[in-house]
Amino acid sequence: MSSRSGSAREYKNSDQTPGRSASPPVPESSETEAEGLIFYHMDLYGSKERFDIFPEEPSGQGDRSLGETRRESALSSEKFHRSQEAGYDLEKEVAELAKMYGLDEDREKELELLGGRLEMVESRWPPAHTEKAGSQGSIYNASKSSSPVKDQSQGTKQQGLPGKASQDEDQSKARAEDEAESHTWSREGLSSGGTWDEWNSQAVSEEEEAADVFCSTCKMPIRAFDKLFGEHKDHEVAQLSSAVESEKEEIHKNMCKLEEQIAEMENFASHLEEIFITVEENFGKQEQNFEAHYNDAVQVLAQKYKEQLEALGEEKRQKLEALYGQLISCGEDLDTCKELTDATQELYLENDKADFMKAAVTMVDRLKEFLKKEVNLELSTLPDFEERVIDFSEVEQLMNSINTIPAPCPPVISPQAPSSATGTSLRVCWGLFSDDTVECYQLCYKPVSNERCSEEQAEYTLKVKETYCTITNLLPNTQYEFWVSALNASGISPPSERAVYVTAPSPPTINSKKIRSCENAALVCWESKDINPVDSYTVELSKLTDEENDDIISESIVGIPNCEVLIHLQPTQSYCICVRAVNLGGSSERSEPVLIHTTGTYFFLNEDTAHPLLAILDDGFTIACDELENPECDLPVYDNSFTRCIGILGSLIPFPGKHYWEVEVEEDTEYRIGVAFENTPRHGYLGANNSSWCMRHIITPSRHKYEFLHSGMTPDIRITVPPRRIGILLDYENCRLSFFNADIAQHLYAFNSHFQHYVHPCFAFETPGTLRIHTGTAIPPWTALP
């Protein structure tokens, strides 16, 4: 229960429960009544919970008088004063209040904020200068807090219990005493020379100084006590120090933004200065433009004036010449008429008739002839001149072209960027390093002439809006020349300098028949489709597994200058290999992939070395010879072909280490198989010279004979089981060439010779038959046995 100022009572009679009465109380003297009561301190703030200590009275219970309530209030106030004088523990009181109202858990942080301020709050109660003033203030508060008891007393009066007149009289007296006490308390509080005002101002000053938390809702510093019991009770608060740090951080952010804005404004001011300079420069350009155009217009007008004046003078001359000619003709006719008139008058004066007749006949003829002549009495030309209209269309066009936009400066075309082209397209870029207004650009290009094509190439023109353009439908690995001009309403700029671009190459073609490989390396060859040379090649290889057969590039070999490369690989793997051609424009598309296995040695047969009677079947690894009696025939041969021995060489095996392959033979076929240098004589037999090593099989009437020939010599070896599948093991490191019967894993013979160069597999027929070669076979483990 709260111990704050207030009043409650407990009946000590044995037949009564607390807060209830068996019969209406009879007002007696205050001294007698006070002895049977116990007072408890209640909440000063008039909380509703304090009514819960008074159970509801049943109807019919008596009402207590106002005088009795007054006495209870006075006793409660007096007891409260005694507790204050005895050193009342306000901190404990606050803790109990917090526990009663559920603040001990929800507002633990607020109580911590309040801990340091409790002593200050206690000191802010109005100071008691005198015993009377303090007692009266307590009585005043106690009388106010006892209003519920009065309400209960009024409730009992409605039951019509006796003593009504006495109760009304007591109420009037209580009101008068309250007013007098209130007036006395206020007067005494002010009678000490403004002591209450001083306390009030001191409390306000201390309140301002005591702000130690920050109300986030009201955006102002407050006391921790106000958070618990004041108007900020339901507001969100924070420690004043953290609020200060937060505000500092916010101010710092705003200052950073302000600095950025200042930097932007300074940049804008610099830009404005540049614009001022640009305006002056553009004004000068426009002034020159206006002057040039107006000078052109004046020149055109002067030329028009001169032309019109010359035309007018020519017309005048023609008119005068025509009139002058007509005037002369008219004068001549007048003279003739005058002469005829005079002659006729003289004829009339002739007296001799014979002479008259002669003269008259002649005169008549002359008159008839003259009168027959048509006399033009109309003006040959009019005195009025033709009304001439001056054609000002050219001047108007020139005047219309006078505007604020000058013709642009020539653009600057950029050099080709690496990897900016494909095999059929190019991306060309340029720039305009001026403030000229441009409506569009005119891009021109043509292929660059070379030695093979000396004819003038056709030019192509495109109009584009941007400062770049992608041209398509071009030839791979071909150089093109580009230049560009800028256009606007005033005209077209001079062309830029010319730049040469090149398209990417075409994808190479890997020659799968020429691929050679072994357990740890492969030699890949390809051909280029481009007429022009390329800069380099790039080989891309990816390892294939059972779980993953995608072309995931695991390695790239770049900068290969030639059309072949030796690649080091891992044994017993499968690789997918592609090739790209590279030039300044970029790389080509990937070539068609080829599959390479490193399970054994792979090689192919060199058709250029084959004898004309030897045929290579479709699989590329089976050779055959038809039945011919004379192996030295007149069939056409190549320069590198065997001419006497019906033989053929395989491709060079250029890898160090061990290499193994097998040859499937027929029992009734005579043959030679082994290895030979590149320069082994084509007109001799294999094994008959020091540049070849071979195993020879011949059939005698008594047995199958096997010889192991080098420089025409062979050891004396007898083989009892004719081999059907012969294994050949070439060991460069140990300088050894071994032959095996692969069917029964039998070692037949081994040459021990130092191979100064890489060798070729070689095969030859001495009688018609067929040999089938097997490459890519792993080296059998039994070949290592002694």
Coordinates of all heavy atoms in Angstrom, one line a residue, residues 300-348:
V300 N 27.3 39.5 -104.7 CA 26.3 38.9 -105.6 C 25.5 40.0 -106.2 O 25.1 40.1 -107.4 CB 25.5 37.9 -104.9 CG1 24.3 37.5 -105.7 CG2 26.3 36.6 -104.6
L301 N 25.1 41.0 -105.3 CA 24.2 42.1 -105.8 C 25.0 42.9 -106.8 O 24.5 43.4 -107.9 CB 23.8 43.0 -104.6 CG 22.7 42.3 -103.7 CD1 22.5 43.2 -102.5 CD2 21.4 42.1 -104.5
A302 N 26.3 43.2 -106.6 CA 27.1 44.0 -107.5 C 27.2 43.2 -108.9 O 27.1 43.9 -109.9 CB 28.4 44.3 -106.9
Q303 N 27.4 41.9 -108.8 CA 27.4 41.2 -110.0 C 26.1 41.2 -110.8 O 26.1 41.3 -112.0 CB 27.8 39.7 -109.7 CG 28.0 38.8 -110.9 CD 29.2 39.2 -111.7 OE1 30.2 39.8 -111.2 NE2 29.1 38.9 -113.0
K304 N 25.0 41.1 -110.0 CA 23.7 41.2 -110.7 C 23.5 42.5 -111.3 O 23.0 42.6 -112.5 CB 22.6 40.9 -109.6 CG 22.6 39.5 -109.1 CD 22.1 38.5 -110.1 CE 21.9 37.1 -109.6 NZ 21.5 36.1 -110.6
Y305 N 23.9 43.6 -110.6 CA 23.8 44.9 -111.2 C 24.6 45.1 -112.5 O 24.1 45.6 -113.5 CB 24.2 45.9 -110.1 CG 24.3 47.3 -110.7 CD1 23.2 48.1 -110.9 CD2 25.6 47.9 -111.0 CE1 23.3 49.4 -111.4 CE2 25.7 49.2 -111.4 CZ 24.6 49.9 -111.7 OH 24.7 51.2 -112.1
K306 N 25.8 44.6 -112.4 CA 26.6 44.7 -113.6 C 26.0 43.9 -114.8 O 26.0 44.4 -115.9 CB 28.0 44.2 -113.3 CG 29.0 44.3 -114.4 CD 30.4 43.8 -113.9 CE 31.4 43.9 -115.0 NZ 32.8 43.4 -114.6
E307 N 25.6 42.7 -114.5 CA 25.0 41.9 -115.6 C 23.7 42.6 -116.2 O 23.6 42.6 -117.4 CB 24.6 40.5 -115.0 CG 25.8 39.7 -114.7 CD 25.5 38.4 -114.0 OE1 24.2 38.2 -113.8 OE2 26.4 37.5 -113.7
Q308 N 22.9 43.1 -115.3 CA 21.7 43.8 -115.8 C 22.0 45.0 -116.6 O 21.3 45.3 -117.6 CB 20.7 44.1 -114.6 CG 20.2 42.9 -113.9 CD 19.2 42.1 -114.9 OE1 18.6 42.6 -115.8 NE2 19.2 40.8 -114.7
L309 N 23.0 45.8 -116.1 CA 23.4 47.0 -116.8 C 24.0 46.6 -118.2 O 23.7 47.3 -119.2 CB 24.4 47.8 -116.0 CG 24.7 49.2 -116.5 CD1 23.5 50.1 -116.5 CD2 25.8 49.8 -115.6
E310 N 24.7 45.7 -118.3 CA 25.3 45.2 -119.6 C 24.2 44.8 -120.5 O 24.2 45.1 -121.7 CB 26.3 44.1 -119.4 CG 27.6 44.6 -118.7 CD 28.6 43.5 -118.5 OE1 28.2 42.3 -118.7 OE2 29.7 43.7 -118.0
A311 N 23.2 44.1 -120.0 CA 22.1 43.6 -120.8 C 21.3 44.8 -121.3 O 20.8 44.8 -122.5 CB 21.2 42.6 -120.0
L312 N 21.1 45.8 -120.5 CA 20.3 47.0 -120.9 C 21.1 47.7 -122.0 O 20.5 48.2 -122.9 CB 20.1 47.8 -119.7 CG 19.2 49.0 -119.8 CD1 17.8 48.6 -120.2 CD2 19.1 49.9 -118.6
G313 N 22.4 47.9 -121.8 CA 23.2 48.6 -122.9 C 23.1 47.8 -124.2 O 23.1 48.4 -125.3
E314 N 23.2 46.5 -124.1 CA 23.1 45.7 -125.4 C 21.8 45.9 -126.0 O 21.7 46.0 -127.3 CB 23.3 44.2 -125.0 CG 23.3 43.3 -126.2 CD 24.4 43.5 -127.2 OE1 25.4 44.1 -126.8 OE2 24.3 43.1 -128.4
E315 N 20.7 45.9 -125.3 CA 19.4 46.2 -125.9 C 19.3 47.5 -126.5 O 18.7 47.7 -127.6 CB 18.3 46.0 -124.8 CG 16.9 46.1 -125.3 CD 15.9 45.9 -124.2 OE1 16.3 45.8 -123.0 OE2 14.7 46.0 -124.5
K316 N 19.9 48.5 -125.9 CA 19.9 49.9 -126.4 C 20.7 49.9 -127.8 O 20.2 50.5 -128.8 CB 20.5 50.8 -125.4 CG 20.8 52.2 -126.0 CD 21.6 53.1 -125.0 CE 22.0 54.4 -125.7 NZ 22.9 55.2 -124.8
R317 N 21.8 49.3 -127.8 CA 22.6 49.2 -129.0 C 21.8 48.6 -130.1 O 21.8 49.1 -131.3 CB 23.9 48.5 -128.8 CG 24.8 48.5 -130.0 CD 26.0 47.6 -129.6 NE 25.7 46.2 -129.4 CZ 25.4 45.4 -130.4 NH1 25.5 45.8 -131.7 NH2 25.0 44.2 -130.2
Q318 N 21.1 47.5 -129.8 CA 20.4 46.8 -130.9 C 19.2 47.7 -131.4 O 19.0 47.7 -132.6 CB 19.8 45.5 -130.3 CG 20.9 44.5 -130.0 CD 20.3 43.2 -129.4 OE1 19.1 43.1 -129.1 NE2 21.2 42.2 -129.1
K319 N 18.6 48.4 -130.5 CA 17.5 49.2 -130.9 C 18.0 50.4 -131.8 O 17.4 50.7 -132.9 CB 16.8 49.8 -129.7 CG 15.9 48.9 -129.0 CD 15.2 49.5 -127.8 CE 14.2 48.6 -127.1 NZ 13.1 48.2 -127.9
L320 N 19.1 51.0 -131.4 CA 19.6 52.1 -132.2 C 20.1 51.6 -133.6 O 19.9 52.3 -134.6 CB 20.7 52.7 -131.4 CG 20.3 53.5 -130.2 CD1 21.5 54.1 -129.5 CD2 19.3 54.6 -130.5
E321 N 20.7 50.5 -133.6 CA 21.2 49.9 -134.9 C 20.0 49.6 -135.8 O 20.1 49.9 -137.0 CB 22.0 48.7 -134.7 CG 23.4 49.0 -134.1 CD 24.2 47.7 -133.8 OE1 23.6 46.6 -134.1 OE2 25.4 47.7 -133.4
A322 N 19.0 49.1 -135.3 CA 17.8 48.8 -136.1 C 17.2 50.0 -136.6 O 16.8 50.1 -137.8 CB 16.8 47.9 -135.3
L323 N 17.0 51.0 -135.8 CA 16.4 52.3 -136.2 C 17.3 53.0 -137.3 O 16.8 53.6 -138.2 CB 16.2 53.2 -135.0 CG 15.1 52.7 -134.1 CD1 15.0 53.6 -132.8 CD2 13.7 52.7 -134.7
Y324 N 18.6 52.9 -137.0 CA 19.5 53.6 -137.9 C 19.5 52.9 -139.3 O 19.5 53.6 -140.3 CB 20.9 53.5 -137.4 CG 22.0 54.2 -138.2 CD1 22.1 55.6 -138.3 CD2 22.9 53.4 -139.0 CE1 23.0 56.1 -139.1 CE2 23.8 54.0 -139.8 CZ 23.9 55.3 -139.9 OH 24.8 55.9 -140.7
G325 N 19.4 51.6 -139.3 CA 19.3 50.9 -140.6 C 18.0 51.2 -141.3 O 18.0 51.4 -142.6
Q326 N 17.0 51.3 -140.6 CA 15.7 51.7 -141.2 C 15.7 53.1 -141.7 O 15.1 53.4 -142.7 CB 14.6 51.4 -140.1 CG 13.2 51.5 -140.8 CD 12.1 51.1 -139.7 OE1 12.4 51.1 -138.5 NE2 10.9 50.9 -140.2
L327 N 16.3 54.0 -140.9 CA 16.4 55.4 -141.4 C 17.2 55.5 -142.7 O 16.8 56.3 -143.6 CB 17.1 56.2 -140.3 CG 17.2 57.7 -140.5 CD1 15.8 58.4 -140.7 CD2 17.9 58.4 -139.4
I328 N 18.3 54.8 -142.8 CA 19.1 54.8 -144.0 C 18.3 54.3 -145.2 O 18.3 54.8 -146.3 CB 20.4 54.0 -143.8 CG1 21.3 54.8 -142.8 CG2 21.1 53.8 -145.1 CD1 22.6 54.0 -142.5
S329 N 17.6 53.2 -145.0 CA 16.8 52.6 -146.1 C 15.7 53.6 -146.5 O 15.4 53.7 -147.7 CB 16.2 51.3 -145.6 OG 15.3 50.8 -146.6
C330 N 15.1 54.2 -145.6 CA 14.0 55.2 -145.9 C 14.6 56.4 -146.7 O 14.0 56.9 -147.6 CB 13.4 55.7 -144.6 SG 12.0 56.8 -144.9
G331 N 15.8 56.8 -146.3 CA 16.5 58.0 -147.1 C 16.8 57.6 -148.5 O 16.6 58.4 -149.4
E332 N 17.2 56.3 -148.7 CA 17.5 55.9 -150.0 C 16.3 55.8 -150.9 O 16.3 56.2 -152.1 CB 18.2 54.5 -149.9 CG 19.6 54.5 -149.3 CD 20.2 53.1 -149.2 OE1 19.4 52.1 -149.4 OE2 21.4 53.0 -148.8
D333 N 15.2 55.4 -150.3 CA 13.9 55.3 -151.0 C 13.5 56.7 -151.4 O 12.9 57.0 -152.5 CB 12.9 54.6 -150.2 CG 13.2 53.1 -150.1 OD1 13.9 52.6 -150.9 OD2 12.6 52.5 -149.1
L334 N 13.6 57.7 -150.5 CA 13.2 59.0 -150.8 C 14.1 59.6 -151.9 O 13.6 60.4 -152.8 CB 13.4 59.9 -149.5 CG 12.3 59.7 -148.4 CD1 12.6 60.5 -147.2 CD2 10.9 60.0 -148.9
D335 N 15.4 59.3 -151.9 CA 16.2 59.8 -153.0 C 15.8 59.3 -154.3 O 15.8 60.0 -155.3 CB 17.7 59.5 -152.7 CG 18.2 60.2 -151.5 OD1 17.6 61.3 -151.1 OD2 19.3 59.8 -150.9
T336 N 15.5 58.0 -154.3 CA 15.0 57.4 -155.6 C 13.7 58.0 -156.1 O 13.5 58.3 -157.3 CB 14.8 55.9 -155.4 OG1 16.1 55.3 -154.9 CG2 14.4 55.2 -156.6
C337 N 12.8 58.3 -155.2 CA 11.5 58.9 -155.5 C 11.8 60.3 -156.1 O 11.1 60.7 -157.0 CB 10.6 59.0 -154.3 SG 10.0 57.3 -153.8
K338 N 12.7 61.0 -155.4 CA 12.9 62.4 -155.9 C 13.6 62.4 -157.3 O 13.3 63.2 -158.1 CB 13.9 63.1 -154.9 CG 14.1 64.5 -155.2 CD 15.0 65.1 -154.1 CE 15.3 66.6 -154.5 NZ 16.2 67.2 -153.4
E339 N 14.4 61.4 -157.5 CA 15.1 61.3 -158.8 C 14.1 61.0 -159.9 O 14.1 61.5 -161.0 CB 16.2 60.2 -158.7 CG 16.9 60.1 -160.1 CD 18.0 59.0 -160.0 OE1 18.1 58.3 -158.9 OE2 18.6 58.7 -161.0
L340 N 13.2 60.0 -159.6 CA 12.2 59.7 -160.6 C 11.2 60.8 -160.8 O 10.8 61.0 -162.0 CB 11.4 58.4 -160.1 CG 12.2 57.1 -160.0 CD1 11.3 56.0 -159.3 CD2 12.6 56.7 -161.4
T341 N 10.9 61.6 -159.8 CA 10.0 62.7 -160.0 C 10.7 63.8 -160.9 O 10.1 64.3 -161.8 CB 9.7 63.4 -158.6 OG1 9.1 62.4 -157.8 CG2 8.8 64.5 -158.8
D342 N 12.0 64.0 -160.7 CA 12.7 65.0 -161.5 C 12.8 64.5 -162.9 O 12.6 65.3 -163.9 CB 14.1 65.3 -160.9 CG 14.0 66.0 -159.6 OD1 12.9 66.6 -159.2 OD2 15.0 65.9 -158.8
A343 N 13.1 63.3 -163.1 CA 13.2 62.7 -164.5 C 11.9 62.8 -165.2 O 11.8 63.0 -166.4 CB 13.7 61.3 -164.4
T344 N 10.8 62.6 -164.5 CA 9.5 62.6 -165.1 C 9.1 64.0 -165.6 O 8.6 64.3 -166.6 CB 8.4 62.1 -164.2 OG1 8.7 60.7 -163.8 CG2 7.0 62.1 -164.8
Q345 N 9.4 65.0 -164.7 CA 9.2 66.4 -165.1 C 10.0 66.8 -166.3 O 9.5 67.5 -167.2 CB 9.5 67.3 -163.9 CG 8.5 67.1 -162.7 CD 8.9 68.0 -161.5 OE1 9.9 68.7 -161.5 NE2 8.0 67.9 -160.5
E346 N 11.2 66.3 -166.4 CA 12.1 66.7 -167.5 C 11.5 66.0 -168.8 O 11.6 66.5 -169.9 CB 13.5 66.2 -167.3 CG 14.2 67.0 -166.3 CD 15.7 66.5 -166.0 OE1 16.0 65.5 -166.7 OE2 16.4 67.1 -165.2
L347 N 10.9 64.8 -168.6 CA 10.4 64.1 -169.8 C 9.2 64.9 -170.4 O 9.0 64.9 -171.6 CB 9.9 62.7 -169.4 CG 9.3 61.8 -170.5 CD1 10.4 61.6 -171.6 CD2 8.9 60.5 -169.9
Y348 N 8.4 65.5 -169.5 CA 7.3 66.3 -170.0 C 7.7 67.5 -170.8 O 7.0 68.1 -171.6 CB 6.3 66.7 -168.8 CG 5.4 65.6 -168.4 CD1 5.6 64.9 -167.3 CD2 4.2 65.4 -169.2 CE1 4.7 63.9 -166.9 CE2 3.3 64.4 -168.8 CZ 3.5 63.6 -167.7 OH 2.7 62.7 -167.3

